[in-house]
Amino acid sequence: KGEKILKVILVDIEGNITLGKGTHLILKDLALLRKYKIYSEKRGYPEAVFCTGRSQPFVEMLTMALDWFYDLPSIVENGSALWWPKTDDYELNPKINLQEWLDIKTSVVKTLLPAFKLDKEFKFEPGKDICLSISPMPNTPENVESLFQRAKKELKKHPQIFSKISVFHSNSAVDINPKGVDKGSGLRFFSQRTKIKFSEMAAIGDSLGDFPVFKLVARGGGKVGCPDNASKECKQLVRKLGGYVSS
């Protein structure tokens, strides 16, 4: 009573809906999430959309599996674009100059290749239009955090490149986007296009890439939360923002 009505729940995928990259899907859990669509329509629950670093085709597949064909869009590729499931429309974040970014992206690849052993220490994630994602190879000493630190250190050696990019990570990959484009800017674009205020949102995530969303939603009067398997830093931030950490 007295609480503002939520209109949308924004959910990260890895570590929140799935266990993570390269792991099996828990079908009984997906079946429960599929039922949420029925409850949301019958009982007036908020619509549920994805706010993820994953590509549009991956999000479309999961949308089909969960039947989350809502009127609202999902935020894909760490804020690079909105994808509207009912119409299949794809809207690029207006902060992105596509031609300029493609040139910068090429420079980033040329910078990283001499510093890392491709297909031995790391690999590029395929299938993304804007975001450049790299992940550690299995059975190597590298993990996402160490790869993030190494990549950031190497890119800082090239100020003309580093000044034009944003570098962050999820639990599965290191993500490189145009400067100022992250899940937070994607959420601002989402709010602008849907006319939904931050106070009418709830956000669920588990890692560094979700922090801009948490801050915007919580400080705007909305709700934030994370699963028990979230990073230590994520749990600390969620608690600091007055959010909920599952157990």
Side-chain angles (χ1 to χ4, degrees):
K1 186 177 179 180
E3 294 247 348
K4 291 184 179 178
I5 297 175
L6 296 176
K7 293 184 177 179
V8 64
I9 302 173
L10 301 117
V11 190
D12 185 26
I13 295 177
E14 255 79 29
N16 299 277
I17 290 179
T18 69
L19 295 174
K21 186 175 175 62
T23 61
H24 67 282
L25 296 173
I26 302 177
L27 298 183
K28 64 178 183 179
D29 289 349
L30 296 187
L32 290 173
L33 290 171
R34 188 179 176 91
K35 288 182 179 179
Y36 180 83
K37 174 74 179 313
I38 300 172
Y39 296 148
S40 66
E41 291 176 339
K42 287 185 176 180
R43 303 179 184 179
Y45 292 171
E47 294 192 14
V49 301
F50 302 109
C51 183
T52 178
R54 285 287 196 167
S55 66
Q56 180 276 329
F58 185 95
V59 171
E60 182 174 1
M61 178 279 298
L62 198 53
T63 297
M64 293 169 66
L66 299 181
D67 191 28
W68 280 11
F69 285 95
Y70 290 106
D71 292 323
L72 298 175
S74 284
I75 300 169
V76 300
E77 292 197 33
N78 291 299
S80 297
L82 301 180
W83 174 66
W84 301 75
K86 281 193 172 181
T87 60
D88 200 30
D89 287 333
Y90 184 85
E91 293 187 62
L92 204 63
N93 190 319
K95 292 177 71 70
I96 298 172
N97 180 314
L98 187 56
Q99 186 55 60
E100 180 181 289
W101 172 243
L102 292 177
D103 292 340
I104 297 169
K105 193 174 179 180
T106 300
S107 298
V108 170
V109 172
K110 289 180 178 179
T111 299
L112 292 179
L113 283 177
F116 295 87
K117 297 176 181 178
L118 182 63
D119 294 332
K120 290 185 178 181
E121 292 182 318
F122 84 104
K123 61 181 178 180
F124 291 107
E125 295 283 340
K128 295 186 178 181
D129 294 324
I130 302 297
C131 183
L132 179 65
S133 296
I134 60 176
S135 57
M137 293 295 292
N139 304 316
T140 66
E142 289 284 3
N143 56 39
V144 173
E145 178 63 32
S146 64
L147 189 62
F148 167 71
Q149 296 297 341
R150 285 184 62 195
K152 193 171 182 180
K153 182 179 180 180
E154 187 62 32
L155 289 165
K156 277 186 173 181
K157 296 177 184 177
H158 305 270
Q160 75 280 11
I161 296 174
F162 193 74
S163 64
K164 298 177 181 178
I165 62 175
S166 296
V167 187
F168 37 89
H169 69 81
S170 65
N171 281 338
S172 61
V174 177
D175 301 305
I176 301 169
N177 258 12
K179 186 72 173 179
V181 175
D182 56 17
K183 287 184 179 180
S185 72
L187 186 65
R188 291 184 186 278
F189 184 32
F190 176 96
S191 178
Q192 174 191 344
R193 289 289 287 110
T194 63
K195 308 303 180 186
I196 296 176
K197 301 174 183 177
F198 297 143
S199 61
E200 299 169 320
M201 301 178 185
I204 301 171
D206 67 334
S207 59
L208 177 66
D210 300 305
F211 289 8
V213 169
F214 287 158
K215 292 174 182 177
L216 285 173
V217 171
R219 292 168 182 170
K223 307 292 184 182
V224 298
C226 68
D228 185 54
N229 56 281
S231 67
K232 179 181 177 182
E233 295 78 12
C234 183
K235 291 178 183 178
Q236 289 175 340
L237 177 62
V238 167
R239 290 190 177 108
K240 182 179 179 181
L241 294 172
Y244 175 75
V245 178
S246 68
S247 57

